[in-house]
Amino acid sequence: MDGYAYFNNVSDLSKDDRFSSLLYVASSPNFRFYAGTPLLTRKNVPIGSVFVIDRPRGPPTKFEIEFLGIMAQNVMEYLEMRRESELRKRSE
């Protein structure tokens, strides 16, 4: 899994202005950790992300980072196959 974009790791969501007011951070279940990677089209256009949120914990391991990248690639392959299938159906 060489070089898949891993873009964000927030160790305490409650201390980050982008997340601190979110309901699931400010109250139960009080998530604190976030790590994510973008969903990129074949032309490198970001269309979303795959991410995990968790209770307080340490930084993600190399395996966890690689797993996020693999999951993002799997999601994009699925979406691209669905798109191609829909285009074929429309053309028939």
Side-chain angles (χ1 to χ4, degrees), residues 20-22 36 90:
S20 60
S21 63
L22 296 174
R90 288 181 188 172

Side-chain angles (χ1 to χ4, degrees), residues 4-7 36-40 46 48-50 72 76:
Y4 195 86
Y6 167 73
F7 78 91
T37 193
L39 293 173
L40 300 171
S49 64
V50 171
M76 286 310 303

Side-chain angles (χ1 to χ4, degrees), residues 7 13 23 29 66 75:
F7 78 91
L13 296 170
L23 188 58
E66 289 174 356
V75 167

Side-chain angles (χ1 to χ4, degrees), residues 1-31:
M1 178 77 242
D2 261 4
Y4 195 86
Y6 167 73
F7 78 91
N8 209 346
N9 171 25
V10 179
S11 59
D12 191 343
L13 296 170
S14 68
K15 294 179 182 176
D16 189 308
D17 291 339
R18 298 171 294 173
F19 304 101
S20 60
S21 63
L22 296 174
L23 188 58
Y24 58 84
V25 174
S27 63
S28 184
N30 300 104
F31 287 121

